[in-house]
Each structure stands twice: as structure tokens, then as C-alpha cells.
Amino acid sequence: MDVGILLLLLSLLKIATIPYSVSDPSDEACLTHLSKSLQDPTNKLDNWTQTNFAKPCDAASTSYLKGATCNNGRIYRLSLNNLNLKGTIPPFISNCTNLQALDLSSNSLTGPIPSDLQSLVNLAVLNLSSNQLDGEIPPQLTLCAYLNIIDLHNNRLTGPIPQQLGLLVRLSAFDVSNNRLSGPIPSSLANRTGNLPRFNATSFLGNKDLYGYPLPPLKSKGLSVLAIVGIGLGSGLASLVLSFTGVCIWLKVSERKMAIEEGKVSHLMPDY
Ligand SMILES: *[C@@H]1O[C@H](CO)[C@@H](O)[C@H](O)[C@H]1NC(C)=O
Ligand SMILES: *[C@@H]1O[C@H](CO)[C@@H](O)[C@H](O)[C@H]1NC(C)=O
Ligand SMILES: *[C@@H]1O[C@H](CO)[C@@H](O)[C@H](O)[C@H]1NC(C)=O
Ligand SMILES: *[C@@H]1O[C@H](CO)[C@@H](O)[C@H](O)[C@H]1NC(C)=O
Ligand SMILES: *[C@@H]1O[C@H](CO)[C@@H](O)[C@H](O)[C@H]1NC(C)=O
């Protein structure tokens, strides 16, 4: 019994003293799925091979993988911006459980932002700007309590801005401009209480159906609707007038023709 416990303790000690550079199964799952989901047509992802996914960090905690940074033997930053990448963001990105910064900006990624990002409890930076991502902004991002940067500008995101995102007290940069978002701008972001930074119109511009403070009031839209109705009515009236004058001219012409014909006829007719 005692010997058993001792052996158990010894083996635990052995596990604890294994150096950092040993593979982490969740990082391996994360990197493997990420590499499968991404297409790299210009071969920018140096060293992104299965052997390196099993052991992405060396003893000095630097990564072998292009764009990856390690800390204590775990992947903690992925900066794969501007690499001509295509494909989608796999839900398994959440297996990189120590991830602090995810920057996939300025690529050609498609598909949704996986709500599984919610399990990245250390995530502080999320930059997915300038891609072709669609679907809605997952409200679950609120569970990443350390988020201080959310940059999703220049995508094709639809739906509302989740008002829960206002609960992220560390948020210092928020940009969802140039998407296809709709609905009211949550005051939890635009008119935050206390000393929390507020996000101005720059964060929200370029979304056709988004409205409310701090965007300028929708007056221009109302006017343009009026203008369209006006143009419609105006052109309707114009075509009515045009066709009326057309009919008039036709009537006049045929009247004159008839008169001439009549004249001819009367000319041929013998005078009594
Ligand atoms: C990866 O994440 C999924 C879902 O969150 C989980 O079921 C799976 O066990 C994880 N895999 C590893 C190797 O941690
Ligand atoms: C690729 O990995 C090798 C070791 O496997 C390393 O020496 C090299 O610096 C890595 N290249 C990049 C671009 O990180
Ligand atoms: C996100 O990445 C782009 C470059 O790809 C950069 O211009 C932008 O400043 C980043 N956003 C933030 C908030 O740092
Ligand atoms: C911002 O919030 C305050 C109260 O918290 C309110 O009085 C004010 O009208 C709000 N401003 C806008 C533009 O919504
Ligand atoms: C919005 O705020 C940013 C700083 O967060 C500032 O650089 C920019 O000039 C502001 N824009 C407007 C329209 O107020």
C-alpha cells in the first residue's frame, strides 16, 4: 500500500519535471485542425507540418511555426495576418487553450466566427478584420473576459451587435465597421457608463442597416425614400403627360389626314 502511494507520488513527480518542450495534445489538435481548415496557396506557412504540431515550441519557448508564439511551452499567440490565406476558422481553434492573441486579419477567410472561441478564457486580442467572414457576431465572446481588442471590420457579418459585449470591461478597441450588420447600436458600447471607453461612429460606419447613437440619425435614408417616391410619382406624371400629348398629336395628324382625304374626295365628287 505505502509502496503503491510512493510509486504514484514518484510518477506524478516525474510528470511534473518533464520539460516544457513536450507536446501538448490540445495545442496539437488546435494546430492540426487549423492547418486543415486553412488553404495556403502562396505557401506562406513555413514549418506548418504535422511533426511540428506535435511539438510546436522549443525549450526556449520560441515556436518553430511561422506566425506562432509560445509561452511556457504553449501556443499563446497566433499572428497569421496578411498571408493570402483562404478557408475557414475551425471551431477547434478553441483547443489552443492558452491563446492570448488571435490575429487572422487581412486574408481571404470565409465562413462564420466560431462561437467556440468562448472557451479561450485568456484571449485578449481578436483581430479578424479584412476577410470575408459571414454569419453573426457570437454573443458568447462575452465569456472571454480578458478581451481588450475586438477588430472585425471589413467582413460580411450580418445580424445585430450583441449588447452583452458591453460587459467586457477591458475592451479598449472595438471595430465592426464595413460589414452588413443591422439593428440598434447597443448603448452598452456606444454610451458606456463609468470610466469605460466609449466607441464612436468610426467603430460602426459602413453597415447599411445599423442605426442609433453614435451614428448620425437616419434622416438621409428617410429623405432618399421620399426622393424615390417623388421620382416615381414625377416620372409617372411625366409619362402620362407625354402619352397624352402623343395621343393628341396622333389625333390631330389623323384629323388633318382625314380632312385632306375628305378634301380629295370632295374634289373628285362632282359639284351639284
Ligand atoms: C478539443 O476540443 C474539443 C471541443 O472543445 C474537445 O472535445 C476535445 O477533447 C479537445 N481535444 C483535445 C485534444 O484537447
Ligand atoms: C522551421 O523549423 C526549424 C526547426 O524545425 C527551425 O530551425 C526554423 O527556424 C523554422 N523556420 C521558421 C521560419 O520558423
Ligand atoms: C488588426 O489588424 C490590422 C492589419 O491586418 C491592423 O491594421 C489593425 O490595426 C488591427 N486592429 C487593431 C485594433 O489593432
Ligand atoms: C447616455 O447615457 C446617459 C445616461 O447614462 C443618458 O442620459 C444619455 O442620454 C445617453 N446618451 C445617448 C446619446 O444615448
Ligand atoms: C473616434 O475615436 C478614435 C479614438 O478611439 C479617434 O481616433 C477618432 O478620431 C474618433 N473619431 C470620431 C469621428 O470622433
Side-chain angles (χ1 to χ4, degrees):
M1 191 66 174
D2 278 356
V3 174
I5 288 172
L6 197 71
L7 277 177
L8 191 73
L9 280 176
L10 272 175
S11 63
L12 280 178
L13 204 69
K14 214 173 162 189
I15 287 170
T17 52
I18 283 174
Y20 296 139
S21 54
V22 141
S23 66
D24 182 90
S26 32
D27 278 355
E28 184 179 357
C30 161
L31 294 168
T32 305
H33 281 97
L34 185 58
S35 148
K36 273 186 193 147
S37 288
L38 297 178
Q39 293 146 36
D40 176 23
T42 48
N43 292 317
K44 295 274 175 64
L45 293 180
D46 298 335
N47 279 353
W48 278 63
T49 58
Q50 195 60 50
T51 12
N52 281 332
F53 299 156
K55 195 172 172 281
C57 308
D58 73 6
S61 241
T62 51
S63 171
Y64 298 120
L65 307 176
K66 158 93 177 175
T69 312
C70 295
N71 185 32
N72 283 339
R74 295 292 310 273
I75 299 287
Y76 98 114
R77 185 186 294 250
L78 283 171
S79 302
L80 304 176
N81 54 309
N82 213 357
L83 297 176
N84 301 316
L85 302 175
K86 296 181 175 188
T88 59
I89 306 172
F92 290 93
I93 193 94
S94 62
N95 285 94
C96 279
T97 45
N98 275 27
L99 204 60
Q100 198 193 73
L102 179 61
D103 182 356
L104 303 174
S105 61
S106 301
N107 286 295
S108 303
L109 301 178
T110 50
I113 301 172
S115 59
D116 307 71
L117 288 175
Q118 67 180 300
S119 41
L120 297 178
V121 291
N122 294 315
L123 197 65
V125 175
L126 180 64
N127 192 344
L128 306 177
S129 63
S130 299
N131 280 288
Q132 288 138 41
L133 299 170
D134 58 26
E136 303 200 349
I137 301 173
Q140 292 91 335
L141 286 180
T142 315
L143 295 173
C144 307
Y146 290 104
L147 268 175
N148 57 64
I149 292 179
I150 297 182
D151 190 347
L152 306 176
H153 81 271
N154 281 350
N155 276 289
R156 296 171 183 172
L157 301 170
T158 52
I161 301 174
Q163 60 113 30
Q164 300 96 307
L165 294 183
L167 296 172
L168 293 167
V169 291
R170 291 174 194 243
L171 212 53
S172 61
F174 181 79
D175 192 349
V176 293
S177 60
N178 296 317
N179 276 286
R180 296 168 185 177
L181 298 168
S182 55
I185 294 174
S187 60
S188 59
L189 290 165
N191 192 12
R192 312 182 87 191
T193 50
N195 295 324
L196 302 180
R198 300 174 178 192
F199 303 110
N200 63 28
T202 315
S203 299
F204 305 102
L205 287 171
N207 289 280
K208 199 164 64 70
D209 296 319
L210 210 55
Y211 60 88
Y213 177 82
L215 288 177
L218 275 184
K219 255 182 197 155
S220 57
K221 198 176 179 182
L223 270 181
S224 74
V225 166
L226 267 186
I228 287 164
V229 169
I231 287 165
L233 277 180
S235 61
L237 208 70
S239 63
L240 208 73
V241 167
L242 261 174
S243 54
F244 184 71
T245 44
V247 166
C248 283
I249 287 168
W250 179 79
L251 276 177
K252 262 229 165 97
V253 164
S254 45
E255 215 173 78
R256 191 178 292 169
K257 253 189 189 163
M258 254 156 82
I260 289 168
E261 225 99 295
E262 246 166 57
K264 272 185 197 161
V265 168
S266 62
H267 228 72
L268 289 173
M269 287 280 198
D271 275 337
Y272 293 111

